[in-house]
């Protein structure tokens, strides 16, 4: 460690050749974007709230490290560009829009930058800023519908969202951890309410707080090199606790495309998704290229996280075998060849799939009760009625089929009973 530790900021040692670009409040980027505050940071980027001096609006400017992959910009250009969009597809409006792209040169190299709409916080940030970690029932339905619609649009354009592990701009209320690096609610952002553009910078500071600057100090007492900023900045918090989000404030944008790929153009066999929501074929069929069905598995896990308080599969300190064991407990025995190739099964199950040790077996229904329904009742919130619960579980089971070819497609998810009768009607109220 070269610098005194400062909480809730990017790793200061990464201000080096190949790393972050030093930015200060008031800097003007690309001769147009005046930096107002910090929105967040990831391992390969920092993201800044800026005022577009030409169009007089607030934007988010994501500044990559000089050794980062600029692929995210290319994917966003393809998804939000001017090419023909299918008639009747609302999904394009749910993708974080790309306004501009440019490069800046600094003491640490040349940095790819892109400009998008600013957002309030991620869904996971809203939950982490909450005591209950729950969304209201109507909000959770609308959020799930929007996410499914966004993924259906992404797939229709030929892209898989994949696992985001390089350029994530985490908004305050989330911390940089593997649990936020994929098609996951850490990558789903709440839109900012209308009217922000009419606020002056001072009004922004009055409403949300001025930048919290803390001097960067070397441990050896020497002066800072030009590659390091003089002050660190804690990201601004524009969000609100999950239980306080109303239906009118539940509009989202799907972000973080650094690991997205087009299966028709690029064969990808390695999943960067965290173990807890990684599709099982990434483990048991590592030589088979990943495709759209891998998004369906993680979409199911994301919908679960939106509806409830606890994740479907507990990834805290879990090994790959722990997660596979949880998947078998919840969904049943693996396909025969996977089952035979999983050597650790002998320590946990009989050949027929029965547990050999006394431990709590939690079915999908058990997990829904303990992770979704019970926390809602405990917090005095409305829980799901029996008919709706059964429709949710039927949809999720079909999305969580072990074999990728047996999972629902994104369009079939939208046609499921729960989406048609409960989720999409709430989304349409937006």
């Amino acid at each position: 460690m070269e610098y005194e530790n400062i909480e809730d900021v990017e790793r200061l040692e990464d201000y080096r050749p190949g790393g972050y670009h030093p930015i200060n409040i008031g800097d003007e980027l690309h001769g147009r974007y005046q930096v107002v505050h910090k929105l967040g940071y990831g391992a390969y980027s920092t993201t800044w709230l800026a005022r577009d001096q030409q169009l007089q609006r607030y934007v988010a400017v994501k500044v990559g490290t000089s050794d980062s992959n600029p692929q995210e910009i290319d994917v966003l250009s393809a998804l939000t560009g001017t090419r023909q969009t299918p008639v009747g597809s609302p999904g394009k409006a749910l993708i974080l829009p790309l306004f501009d792209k440019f490069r800046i040169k600094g003491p640490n190299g040349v940095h790819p930058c892109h400009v998008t709409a600013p957002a309030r916080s991620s869904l996971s940030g809203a939950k982490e800023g909450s005591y209950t970690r729950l969304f209201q029932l109507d909000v959770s339905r609308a959020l799930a519908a929007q996410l499914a619609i966004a993924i259906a649009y992404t797939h229709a354009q030929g892209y898989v969202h994949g696992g985001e592990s390089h350029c994530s701009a985490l908004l305050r209320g989330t911390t940089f951890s593997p649990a936020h690096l994929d098609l996951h609610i850490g990558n789903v952002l709440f839109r900012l309410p209308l009217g922000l553009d009419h606020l002056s910078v001072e009004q922004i500071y009055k409403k949300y707080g001025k930048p919290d600057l803390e001097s960067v100090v070397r441990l050896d007492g020497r002066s800072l090199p030009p590659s390091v900023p003089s002050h660190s900045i804690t990201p601004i918090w524009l969000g609100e606790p999950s239980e306080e989000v109303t239906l009118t404030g539940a509009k989202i944008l799907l972000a973080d495309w650094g690991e997205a790929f087009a299966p028709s153009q690029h064969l990808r066999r390695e999943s960067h998704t965290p173990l807890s929501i990684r599709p099982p074929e990434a483990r048991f069929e590592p030589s088979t290229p990943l495709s759209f069905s891998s998004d369906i598995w993680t979409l199911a896990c994301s919908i679960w996280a939106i509806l409830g308080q606890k994740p479907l599969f507990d990834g805290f300190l879990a090994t790959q075998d722990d997660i596979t064991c949880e998947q078998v407990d919840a969904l049943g025995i693996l396909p025969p060849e996977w089952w035979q190739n999983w050597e650790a099964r002998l320590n946990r199950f009989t050949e027929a799939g029965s547990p050999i040790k006394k431990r709590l077996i939690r079915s999908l229904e058990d997990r829904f009760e303990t992770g979704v329904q019970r926390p809602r009742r405990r917090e005095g919130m409305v829980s799901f009625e029996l008919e709706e619960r059964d429709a949710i579980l039927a949809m999720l089971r079909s999305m969580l089929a072990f074999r990728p070819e047996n999972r629902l497609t994104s369009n079939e998810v939208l046609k499921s009973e729960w989406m048609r009768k409960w989720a999409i009607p709430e989304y349409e109220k937006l």
Side-chain angles (χ1 to χ4, degrees):
M1 179 177 287
E2 299 178 51
Y3 304 95
E4 290 184 1
N5 183 55
I6 302 175
E7 297 291 335
D8 299 324
V9 300
E10 63 274 18
R11 187 173 180 270
L12 296 172
E13 284 75 15
D14 288 336
Y15 281 98
R16 51 167 178 73
Y20 296 122
H21 176 64
I23 292 177
N24 294 303
I25 300 299
D27 285 356
E28 189 169 273
L29 306 178
H30 200 47
R32 176 174 177 177
Y33 306 106
Q34 183 181 14
V35 175
V36 172
H37 215 306
K38 182 194 280 185
L39 286 173
Y41 62 92
Y44 285 72
S45 66
T46 55
T47 303
W48 302 84
L49 181 66
R51 183 74 175 177
D52 183 343
Q53 305 284 38
Q54 289 186 18
L55 298 180
Q56 296 302 309
R57 65 180 179 182
Y58 290 100
V59 296
V61 182
K62 189 170 184 176
V63 182
T65 58
S66 63
D67 60 5
S68 62
N69 186 346
Q71 169 185 294
E72 181 174 14
I73 301 175
D74 298 332
V75 175
L76 271 176
S77 295
L79 291 174
T80 65
T82 56
R83 72 179 183 175
Q84 185 68 34
T85 300
V87 176
S89 172
K92 185 175 181 179
L94 299 173
I95 307 300
L96 189 69
L98 178 66
F99 296 150
D100 194 7
K101 55 184 178 180
F102 57 92
R103 290 177 176 270
I104 54 177
K105 187 175 182 180
N108 294 325
V110 179
H111 304 261
C113 307
H114 64 276
V115 182
T116 66
R120 300 179 67 187
S121 73
S122 66
L123 270 61
S124 62
K127 295 188 78 169
E128 290 176 11
S130 158
Y131 174 76
T132 68
R133 299 176 67 88
L134 290 165
F135 293 108
Q136 301 295 336
L137 209 61
D138 57 347
V139 170
S140 65
R141 292 175 184 138
L143 294 175
Q146 290 175 88
L147 182 54
I149 290 168
I151 292 301
Y153 171 77
T154 302
H155 289 185
Q157 301 305 301
Y159 284 91
V160 173
H161 187 280
E164 209 299 300
S165 64
H166 297 301
C167 304
S168 180
L170 302 177
L171 302 181
R172 191 178 182 192
T174 60
T175 54
F176 185 72
S177 68
H180 298 128
L181 304 181
D182 56 321
L183 171 53
H184 181 273
I185 62 172
N187 291 337
V188 185
L189 310 179
F190 283 112
R191 291 175 180 265
L192 276 170
L194 297 175
L196 185 76
D197 291 337
H198 301 299
L199 299 179
S200 68
V201 173
E202 286 305 317
Q203 287 172 321
I204 290 284
Y205 290 161
K206 184 176 181 179
K207 185 171 184 178
Y208 296 107
K210 292 184 177 181
D212 183 12
L213 307 180
E214 189 164 348
S215 297
V216 177
V217 179
R218 287 180 59 125
L219 292 175
D220 61 10
R222 297 168 61 186
S223 59
L224 296 175
S227 60
V228 180
S230 60
H231 295 80
S232 68
I233 304 168
T234 304
I236 192 172
W237 169 241
L238 301 176
E240 60 185 339
S242 56
E243 69 273 11
E244 295 181 14
V245 177
T246 63
L247 189 59
T248 56
K251 298 176 182 179
I252 67 164
L253 293 167
L254 181 57
D256 287 339
W257 300 89
E259 286 293 321
F261 66 98
S264 64
Q265 302 172 18
H266 178 67
L267 298 181
R268 176 170 296 172
R269 294 176 174 85
E270 182 182 1
S271 174
H272 296 150
T273 319
L275 284 176
S276 61
I277 54 177
R278 184 176 301 171
E281 63 269 22
R283 176 182 192 183
F284 292 105
E285 295 183 357
S287 62
T288 302
L290 299 170
S291 191
F292 304 102
S293 54
S294 63
D295 267 355
I296 299 301
W297 180 280
T298 49
L299 174 60
C301 295
S302 298
I303 290 174
W304 185 286
I306 288 170
L307 300 181
Q309 188 181 71
K310 298 181 179 180
L312 176 55
F313 305 118
D314 185 5
F316 183 68
L317 299 180
T319 65
Q320 195 166 55
D321 287 327
D322 292 334
I323 295 299
T324 300
C325 182
E326 285 217 24
Q327 292 170 350
V328 172
D329 286 349
L331 303 169
I333 197 169
L334 296 171
E337 61 272 31
W338 294 7
W339 186 249
Q340 292 301 317
N341 290 334
W342 183 33
E343 295 182 359
R345 77 185 189 284
L346 300 174
N347 300 321
R348 302 167 186 256
F349 298 96
T350 66
E351 283 300 330
S354 300
I356 60 175
K357 297 179 181 179
K358 290 183 178 179
R359 60 183 179 83
L360 179 64
I361 303 297
R362 296 188 299 141
S363 66
L364 196 64
E365 289 77 7
D366 293 335
R367 291 164 191 261
F368 196 83
E369 175 61 29
T370 59
V372 179
Q373 299 283 65
R374 192 176 298 166
R376 288 186 169 278
R377 291 193 291 264
R378 185 171 59 243
E379 300 298 337
M381 300 172 71
V382 179
S383 59
F384 294 95
E385 297 289 345
L386 183 61
E387 181 185 4
E388 183 176 3
R389 183 209 67 176
D390 290 345
I392 293 170
L393 292 176
M395 179 191 72
L396 292 177
R397 279 192 180 280
S398 296
M399 298 171 71
L400 295 167
F402 281 125
R403 292 194 181 279
E405 63 270 20
N406 293 338
R407 291 175 201 150
L408 297 180
T409 66
S410 54
N411 283 331
E412 288 170 340
V413 171
L414 294 178
K415 294 176 183 177
S416 67
E417 181 187 16
W418 182 65
M419 282 287 171
R420 289 186 293 104
K421 291 179 64 174
W422 285 279
I424 292 178
E426 294 288 4
Y427 155 71
E428 289 174 342
K429 294 178 183 178
L430 295 175

